[in-house]
Amino acid sequence: MTIDLRQMRYFVALAETLHFGRAAERLHISQPPLTRQIAALERELGVRLLERNSRHAGLTHAGRRFLEDSRLAMATFEQACRNAQLAERGELGTLTVGFMMHAAHTVLPRLTRQFMNDHPDVHVELREMVPDLLPDAILTGRFDAAVTFDPGAIRGLSTDRIHEEQLCLVAHSSHRLAALPIVRAEQLAGEPLIATPPDVAPTLRDAILRYLRSAGIVPVFRLEAQLQQTIVSLVAENLGVALVPASMGKLGLSGLAFRPLEQAPTVAHVVAWRDGNMNPTLRPFLASAGVPESSASDS
């Protein structure tokens, strides 16, 4: 069929006024073109939509049904137009964000809440992953963005620092260091350490090494585990001590003491994204994260 939305619009105006002259006036056309379009519509459908005389019209049974469906079709078309405009502005669509576990206890909840409040029609998918895997997941298009430790310079990847977090000591509550209000680096000499492997979170491992070596300590890593939550659980079993992001204290595990470090090292959280990502929802997300527009636009 060759029916178009203009014919539907003409028919709806006539069906709502049941008067050719008033319908033509509403449509800002003369009456003859309206009459011709309605006649063409009926021929195309093969049904009579209206019973009419020279000026007035009444709907047939088929006409009443076609009016109901025409209103729905027109509303659907108008919504499709609005959706296209919203999608172009990044106000409608899907955004996939990867994150490391630390971010779930620091910046990610606030960032997600702000973005979803400002863009309620964007569906956000959050996916947790260990830090070393996040850059590749972004570059291959699995994620639109990620909140992670600074991965350093990687071709095709842009980053912007959004959070800075101090490291602290976590020890079993019975440990000698648990009684101290603040722990100095030199007091960690000889302590068996539990840490993330350097290939999983190199930024975090480097921060720990620099801190200990600044005090002349040769670190002894007794255990390694990928996840900070696992590390904290191992400390709770009194298998060693660990230097972890201070946000790990929010886990609320019993039998542990989290103590601040003197001249504590810090680790940066960044939001990372692939240069040239065409998902329109990415730009408003980066804006919510505080990324300057120039940085987001240049990518």
Side-chain angles (χ1 to χ4, degrees):
M1 290 188 178
T2 57
I3 297 170
D4 58 34
L5 284 171
R6 181 184 61 170
Q7 290 174 317
M8 282 189 177
R9 189 169 67 251
Y10 284 5
F11 169 73
V12 170
L14 180 57
E16 290 178 348
T17 62
L18 295 177
H19 191 282
F20 279 91
R22 286 197 293 271
E25 183 178 349
R26 179 196 288 188
L27 295 166
H28 305 290
I29 61 173
S30 61
Q31 187 171 325
L34 173 62
T35 303
R36 289 195 297 271
Q37 289 297 327
I38 296 300
L41 178 61
E42 288 181 318
R43 284 196 302 273
E44 186 67 27
L45 289 172
V47 300
R48 290 184 62 81
L49 298 173
L50 301 120
E51 299 289 350
R52 45 176 136 358
N53 55 34
S54 59
R55 295 183 59 83
H56 298 278
L59 291 174
T60 65
H61 178 75
R64 287 192 294 273
R65 180 66 211 193
F66 192 68
L67 173 61
E68 181 180 340
D69 291 340
S70 293
R71 284 170 170 161
L72 179 60
M74 291 172 61
T76 300
F77 175 76
E78 291 169 359
Q79 185 62 54
C81 294
R82 288 193 295 270
N83 286 348
Q85 294 166 341
L86 290 171
E88 174 66 22
R89 296 196 298 266
E91 297 176 17
L92 181 68
T94 298
L95 179 76
T96 304
V97 179
F99 69 96
M100 60 179 180
M101 188 192 69
H102 316 286
H105 298 284
T106 54
V107 69
L108 185 68
R110 175 191 58 78
L111 173 56
T112 304
R113 181 176 61 251
Q114 179 179 337
F115 178 73
M116 294 183 69
N117 286 343
D118 294 341
H119 301 84
D121 293 322
V122 175
H123 176 68
V124 179
E125 297 179 2
L126 299 177
R127 308 281 181 83
E128 184 178 352
M129 187 175 283
V130 293
D132 65 310
L133 298 180
L134 284 168
D136 185 65
I138 299 169
L139 291 173
T140 57
R142 182 175 175 185
F143 300 152
D144 293 303
V147 180
T148 184
F149 292 132
D150 189 347
I154 298 177
R155 185 172 182 175
L157 192 74
S158 291
T159 63
D160 194 82
R161 183 173 297 197
I162 59 174
H163 184 70
E164 194 91 12
E165 183 174 11
Q166 287 189 338
L167 300 186
C168 70
L169 172 76
V170 59
H172 191 273
S173 56
S174 64
H175 195 280
R176 63 178 181 85
L177 297 175
L180 301 178
I182 189 167
V183 177
R184 300 190 309 275
E186 55 266 27
Q187 291 174 311
L188 296 171
E191 289 292 337
L193 297 171
I194 307 173
T196 306
D199 59 332
V200 172
T203 300
L204 179 58
R205 185 68 171 248
D206 287 347
I208 294 172
L209 287 174
R210 286 196 303 270
Y211 181 68
L212 295 174
R213 287 170 178 169
S214 68
I217 296 173
V218 178
V220 178
F221 292 105
R222 182 176 184 180
L223 288 170
E224 292 184 340
Q226 286 192 342
L227 301 179
Q228 292 295 297
Q229 185 170 353
T230 303
I231 290 172
V232 172
S233 297
L234 293 172
V235 172
E237 294 297 323
N238 209 10
L239 295 174
V241 301
L243 302 185
V244 298
S247 58
M248 290 298 97
K250 296 180 180 179
L251 292 175
L253 297 178
S254 60
L256 293 170
F258 290 84
R259 293 293 179 263
L261 297 169
E262 186 177 76
Q263 298 180 332
T266 60
V267 287
H269 292 23
V270 303
V271 59
W273 67 98
R274 178 174 56 83
D275 298 345
N277 186 321
M278 300 301 291
N279 186 345
T281 64
L282 176 61
R283 295 296 172 262
F285 177 76
L286 295 178
S288 295
V291 178
E293 186 176 352
S294 57
S295 297
S297 300
D298 290 343
S299 302

